[in-house]
Amino acid sequence: MRIKSWTDADLAPEPAYNTTAVRFFPWKDVEEPAWGGAWVAVAPGERTTPHAHHEKEVYFVVEGAGVMRMGEEKQDVKFGDTIYVTPDLDHDLYNPGPGRLLFLTVWWDGDEEES
């Protein structure tokens, strides 16, 4: 059995996204799959860097609340929300505070055909 644990001390700056994060991979003795994932924290008053990518992605909000923007659309999000991030659509996530916003993200290649 392989279990990978982390604490707040493991959150490392992700300057390209204006967050701190713990990525799932690399993971000792585990082959890296065709998908990626990370625990991501957004500090109070901060926003993830607006960006777009071809990968499909899902956010799972596990702590706090914020405002998700995809294109021109904005929506409040909170603990328990699952957000599908549309490929190639500019998006960001804002944390108005007062506490941190923590989400789990999983992404995979958006070029693959779905069955």
Side-chain angles (χ1 to χ4, degrees):
M1 180 181 304
R2 293 181 174 92
I3 298 173
K4 186 175 184 180
S5 299
W6 66 276
T7 68
D8 285 348
D10 296 311
L11 289 166
E14 291 274 351
Y17 298 106
N18 193 35
T19 64
T20 55
V22 176
R23 292 184 178 247
F24 296 171
F25 301 98
W27 186 338
K28 187 179 182 311
D29 300 326
V30 175
E31 184 177 336
E32 191 163 344
W35 55 273
W39 293 96
V40 181
V42 183
E46 296 293 329
R47 152 184 337 274
T48 62
T49 304
H51 64 285
H53 43 74
H54 76 277
E55 294 91 0
K56 295 178 181 177
E57 186 171 24
V58 176
Y59 293 176
F60 304 91
V61 181
V62 296
E63 182 182 311
V67 180
M68 184 73 201
R69 182 193 63 82
M70 279 190 259
E72 299 299 317
E73 185 179 359
K74 291 182 181 179
Q75 186 167 330
D76 291 342
V77 296
K78 63 184 181 339
F79 166 78
D81 287 346
T82 302
I83 306 155
Y84 176 76
V85 179
T86 305
D88 301 314
L89 187 59
D90 192 59
H91 59 279
D92 59 61
L93 181 55
Y94 172 66
N95 177 8
R100 75 174 176 187
L101 171 59
L102 182 68
F103 65 97
L104 172 70
T105 178
V106 176
W107 61 87
W108 62 99
D109 190 350
D111 293 336
E112 295 176 2
E113 287 189 33
E114 295 183 17
S115 46

